[in-house]
Amino acid sequence: MHTAIIMDGNGRWAERRGLPRSAGHRAGAKTVRRIVEAATQGPIDVLTLYAFSADNWSRPAQEVGALMKLLKRYLVSETARCIDNGVRLSVIGRRDRLSRDLVRTIENTERLTVAGNALHLRLAVDYSARMAIAEAARRGQAPGSLQDFEKRLAAAIHSEVLPPVDLLIRTGGERRLSDFLLWECAYAELVFVDTFWPDFDETAFDAALAEFERRERRFGGLPRAATPYSLAE
């Protein structure tokens, strides 16, 4: 099972408490730890978290800088925990706009956790689904059938063999994908919750998973109890 989460609401959580937005991001990092630990205990094989979008560069420089420092701190502090819990951590998205120091930290964490087989945790950093699809299409141009092209495109987007997203959760009350995993979420079940990310706990996570279990996934087919349509009728 592949679950993806848009971790929204850190800034608003802080502002409602009269705190700087950076305090919300720090609280959100603690939530990441709790949810990752919960994910290792459930049916999830891949967990992809939207940490920083390509559009987030437009935020104030001070907030962007704080987010990048927080990301590095998270990677450094959580690497040993990931190893102990069998979590493989990898980062998707562009790296050419990240600092060299942060890129080295990412590469080190990826190298040290590559053997983890309990959960594959992916952090989307400087990520844009439209950009990933466009770049994959540019690199996937080659003779062959449309089906072959689609396979090459999917491989280029994922850069590895991964299942499509089964469940997408977005916290913070918004109802949109915000350029996140558009290809992978073609048939994902969407669960939107009003809770801000720092307050999203294991109980809320379990509730989202339970909601997913109640959904009937037909992938364009008929419901299980439906009778196929006949032209003879």
Side-chain angles (χ1 to χ4, degrees), residues 150-172:
E150 183 175 338
K151 290 179 180 178
R152 291 196 303 271
L153 185 63
I157 291 171
H158 301 318
S159 75
E160 57 184 314
V161 179
L162 286 173
V165 175
D166 298 293
L167 168 64
L168 173 76
I169 303 169
R170 179 167 187 154
T171 63

Side-chain angles (χ1 to χ4, degrees), residues 119-185:
L119 175 72
H120 186 181
L121 171 62
R122 303 196 308 161
L123 302 181
V125 178
D126 195 3
Y127 176 83
S128 161
R130 290 177 296 182
M131 188 182 302
I133 292 170
E135 175 61 19
R138 184 186 68 81
R139 291 187 281 115
Q141 293 290 347
S145 67
L146 181 61
Q147 190 174 37
D148 289 338
F149 174 75
E150 183 175 338
K151 290 179 180 178
R152 291 196 303 271
L153 185 63
I157 291 171
H158 301 318
S159 75
E160 57 184 314
V161 179
L162 286 173
V165 175
D166 298 293
L167 168 64
L168 173 76
I169 303 169
R170 179 167 187 154
T171 63
E174 305 291 354
R175 267 72 173 161
R176 55 178 177 266
L177 295 181
S178 297
D179 199 16
F180 183 49
L181 301 179
L182 301 180
W183 179 279
E184 298 90 331
C185 286

Side-chain angles (χ1 to χ4, degrees), residues 2-214:
H2 184 176
T3 298
I5 305 179
I6 300 176
M7 307 178 292
D8 196 15
N10 290 337
R12 286 174 288 160
W13 179 91
E15 289 169 351
R16 291 191 179 186
R17 288 162 173 75
L19 300 171
R21 292 175 62 86
S22 59
H25 296 310
R26 289 193 298 272
K30 295 178 181 178
T31 299
V32 170
R33 174 185 290 178
R34 295 196 301 268
I35 296 305
V36 169
E37 289 181 352
T40 62
Q41 307 302 315
I44 298 171
D45 301 301
V46 182
L47 177 64
T48 304
L49 305 179
Y50 207 2
F52 187 87
S53 78
D55 292 325
N56 286 154
W57 291 110
S58 64
R59 293 188 177 187
Q62 184 177 6
E63 181 174 353
V64 170
L67 281 167
M68 293 301 160
K69 290 179 182 178
L70 181 61
L71 174 59
K72 180 184 176 182
R73 193 179 307 126
Y74 175 84
L75 293 171
V76 170
S77 65
E78 295 301 306
T79 296
R81 186 185 299 269
C82 286
I83 294 171
D84 291 341
N85 291 289
V87 176
R88 175 190 173 191
L89 193 154
S90 60
V91 174
I92 63 172
R94 293 179 60 173
R95 299 190 183 185
D96 58 305
R97 297 190 288 193
L98 305 179
S99 70
R100 294 187 57 153
D101 187 43
L102 178 55
V103 171
R104 283 194 296 268
T105 302
I106 291 171
E107 292 173 345
N108 186 58
T109 297
E110 290 178 328
R111 178 178 57 82
L112 292 174
T113 64
V114 70
N117 56 15
L119 175 72
H120 186 181
L121 171 62
R122 303 196 308 161
L123 302 181
V125 178
D126 195 3
Y127 176 83
S128 161
R130 290 177 296 182
M131 188 182 302
I133 292 170
E135 175 61 19
R138 184 186 68 81
R139 291 187 281 115
Q141 293 290 347
S145 67
L146 181 61
Q147 190 174 37
D148 289 338
F149 174 75
E150 183 175 338
K151 290 179 180 178
R152 291 196 303 271
L153 185 63
I157 291 171
H158 301 318
S159 75
E160 57 184 314
V161 179
L162 286 173
V165 175
D166 298 293
L167 168 64
L168 173 76
I169 303 169
R170 179 167 187 154
T171 63
E174 305 291 354
R175 267 72 173 161
R176 55 178 177 266
L177 295 181
S178 297
D179 199 16
F180 183 49
L181 301 179
L182 301 180
W183 179 279
E184 298 90 331
C185 286
Y187 279 100
E189 296 296 323
L190 310 181
V191 174
F192 299 106
V193 297
D194 294 330
T195 306
F196 293 145
W197 177 247
D199 290 330
F200 188 79
D201 57 16
E202 295 88 341
T203 300
F205 191 38
D206 286 342
L209 293 173
E211 172 61 25
F212 172 78
E213 290 297 327
R214 288 191 291 270

